[in-house]
Amino acid sequence: MKKLLELITEEMEKAFSEAGYKKEYGKVTLSNRPDLCEFQCNGAMAAAKEYHKAPIAIAGEVAEKASFMEKPVWSEITAVAPGFLNISLSKSFLKEYLDTMFTEFKYGLEEVARPLKILVDYGGPNVAKPLHIGHLRAAIIGESIKRICKYMGNEVIGDIHMGDWGLQMGLIITELSHRKPELVYFDEGYAGEYPKEAPFTISELEEIYPAASARSKEDEAYKEEALRATFELQNGRKGYIALWNHIMEISIADLKRNYQKLDVHFDWWKGESDVQKYIGDMVSEMKKDGYAYESEGAIVVDVAEESDTKEVPPCMILKSDGAALYTTTDLATLKERRLLFDPDQVIYVVDKRQEMHFVQVFRCAKKTGIVRDDIALDFLGFGTMNGKDGKPFKTREGGVMRLETLIADINEEMFRKIKENHDVEEEEGRETAKTVALAALKYGDLSNQATKDYIFDIDKFTSFEGNTGPYILYTIVRIKSVLHKFFEEGGELSEPAVNEAGSPSEKELELSLTKYNSVIESAYEELAPHRLCSYIYEVANAFNRFYHENKILTEEDPEKKVGYISLLILTKELLEECIELLGFSAPERM
Ligand code: ARG
């Protein structure tokens, strides 16, 4: 279904043609002055130069033609100084447009003409280290990007890309060997089977890693041991591999639980360890093809380009001790992704401080032919989540805030607010609080442009008023409750059809709904979930104004009442569709 602005533009182009001007001048946009009109066309200003005529004269002629058009899309079109065309949309045209939205697939959204295979790399937790809020943004933004790409008709895979192969594993192994040296995993002569049961629980694991990490910073010999253990693990020492498997199993179960709470779901649970097998051949090939060369003992590939304004250092593939790096793993991952999925596009949702890393990886992958020439590699770097003091968000004690704690805190606060609002059973209240808290958290994040830093403000995010998740949900719940009453009172609706708007607030709501297809499309093209947020905020505001200014259930004209109810249904469905794309949902009551 064509976008509303396209339809109005087409008509305006006709008007320009009929008035004797090039149709290219007929582009219509949303009004800059919503107090004066709904849409505007500035074409006469530009045409004035070509036709050597006063813009207002051209605008006047076009407006004249436009007023006499058959079945016009506008109800009023006026030429105003110095040469603008102000447009009000025809109410019957608007009604028709909305009624068509009801019947169209995805409310008239046009899916992409050629579906792409898209891989979204997001989440990126580090196994055995507790999830912290730095990983929250990756999860929230990535999940929404994935859903938007899918909704547009693409074939999409979400890959968690765990950090599961680094020094943290060597640290845990070392610490464990100090605490429990008697375990068979450390006996190099051991030839039997390793126990099925892990020698630690998740909470022990969570305590072991920070302890080991802290000690390695003070104790040089200990650090050497951990590096050695990492090296031995990576070279297949059996006892260490067995331990690694335990660490993975326990951590992944814990990660799954946490991501489940966030309603974040991955198609692939792959990690850095999965691609180690490609590294040897990959590096040899890069050398053979003359891309990789030795520099100060390390193996590097030049990736600087003439147009660079900032220095882009060579991409290091192997360190002088032969060890692979973060870059190496990301390159090998692209190799594997090509083998397993052959994506047209890979989108990385990662902290923006890693931008240079990705510039190097992308250039190196293209240069060395690891990826297809025509692949799109996109880095969606996000900013930091700060506390109210403007510094990276910390616990009250100044430590790194764990994701679980943060979620528990916001659930608690939401529960308190819900209880304050009305009397509710403990159990139901807790469930509702979880749903609303997730919306608060996700909306609080997604309503900001991803690249920007933002301030995590629990009071603001959980508020029922203003530009917040709970406000959006509150609006949906309000609509649900009106609809519920309507049907409970025996109301019937065979085929939804909205009214030709009677009041300004009804028209405003109708107008806001028409933007659905164009908003989703731009959120997709710009990889910008915040566009969806501003849209649903606009719709929610328009709805609430409409709700306060019109009597819906007590409307006496049955046809008009059905028109209202239809409008409510469409509003609710579009809002729900959008929050689904943002990654949260609405409760029945709140
Ligand atoms: N594990 C990494 C970190 O915590 C993020 C991984 C991002 N994805 C990637 N393909 N490098 O910083």
Side-chain angles (χ1 to χ4, degrees), residues 121-127 129 132 134-135 138 159-164 168 272 326-327 329-331 333 337 346-351 354 357-358 361-362 379 382:
D121 177 319
Y122 70 109
N126 298 314
V127 170
K129 298 189 195 174
H132 62 79
H135 293 112
D159 181 7
I160 186 168
H161 197 74
M162 292 176 282
D164 60 356
Q168 84 260 37
E272 297 179 345
Y326 188 36
T327 344
T329 308
D330 264 323
L331 288 165
T333 303
R337 288 174 178 165
V346 183
I347 303 169
Y348 294 81
V349 184
V350 185
D351 191 313
Q354 295 191 21
H357 163 78
F358 284 101
V361 168
F362 294 172
F379 176 64
F382 53 80

Side-chain angles (χ1 to χ4, degrees), residues 57-77:
I58 299 179
E61 290 166 42
V62 174
E64 165 87 19
K65 289 285 176 206
S67 314
F68 290 106
M69 277 166 70
E70 203 188 317
K71 214 167 177 252
V73 301
W74 35 67
S75 53
E76 204 187 328
I77 178 158

Side-chain angles (χ1 to χ4, degrees), residues 321-540:
D321 63 2
L325 300 103
Y326 188 36
T327 344
T328 329
T329 308
D330 264 323
L331 288 165
T333 303
L334 279 169
K335 212 174 167 67
E336 181 178 60
R337 288 174 178 165
R338 185 176 186 174
L339 286 170
L340 301 184
F341 184 54
D342 197 20
D344 301 298
Q345 183 179 17
V346 183
I347 303 169
Y348 294 81
V349 184
V350 185
D351 191 313
K352 72 176 174 200
R353 286 168 292 191
Q354 295 191 21
E355 178 162 17
M356 183 53 90
H357 163 78
F358 284 101
V359 169
Q360 293 177 305
V361 168
F362 294 172
R363 286 187 184 179
C364 184
K366 289 216 166 156
K367 180 172 179 180
T368 60
I370 288 176
V371 293
R372 281 194 337 239
D373 284 341
D374 61 349
I375 196 174
L377 297 173
D378 290 312
F379 176 64
L380 180 58
F382 53 80
T384 311
M385 179 170 140
N386 289 324
K388 277 190 190 163
D389 58 359
K391 300 202 185 95
F393 197 75
K394 292 268 159 64
T395 59
R396 246 172 258 132
E397 294 73 36
V400 177
M401 175 68 112
R402 296 189 40 178
L403 193 53
E404 252 187 314
T405 320
L406 180 99
I407 296 176
D409 283 358
I410 198 162
N411 281 348
E412 198 53 45
E413 176 61 13
M414 214 59 247
F415 179 62
R416 201 185 59 73
K417 285 204 172 142
I418 288 176
K419 237 179 27 187
E420 207 175 73
N421 246 7
H422 63 109
D423 225 11
V424 61
E425 296 269 341
E426 171 90 12
E427 201 179 323
E428 189 197 334
R430 293 262 171 215
E431 266 318 298
T432 308
K434 261 195 232 162
T435 310
V436 185
L438 189 62
L441 190 61
K442 288 192 167 186
Y443 191 92
D445 188 312
L446 293 170
S447 54
N448 302 287
Q449 214 176 314
T451 49
K452 297 220 172 102
D453 296 349
Y454 76 98
I455 292 182
F456 180 81
D457 181 341
I458 205 165
D459 291 332
K460 188 173 133 203
F461 289 5
T462 57
S463 168
F464 289 105
E465 278 151 44
N467 191 7
T468 69
Y471 170 69
I472 303 291
L473 296 194
Y474 195 75
T475 307
I476 297 176
V477 167
R478 170 175 272 170
I479 302 176
K480 282 185 181 177
S481 115
V482 178
L483 291 175
H484 197 73
K485 279 210 196 95
F486 172 77
F487 290 110
E488 219 175 40
E489 289 167 1
E492 274 176 43
L493 182 102
S494 48
E495 207 172 309
V498 304
N499 294 322
E500 275 187 24
S503 59
S505 63
E506 189 175 12
K507 189 172 190 194
E508 188 192 327
L509 176 58
E510 291 191 357
L511 276 171
S512 73
L513 297 183
T514 61
K515 295 180 191 160
Y516 183 72
N517 50 8
S518 82
V519 168
I520 307 254
E521 208 176 283
S522 53
Y524 168 65
E525 278 163 5
E526 299 164 28
L527 300 179
H530 74 273
R531 293 228 169 247
L532 292 183
C533 293
S534 358
Y535 174 63
I536 56 179
Y537 184 50
E538 177 190 327
V539 170

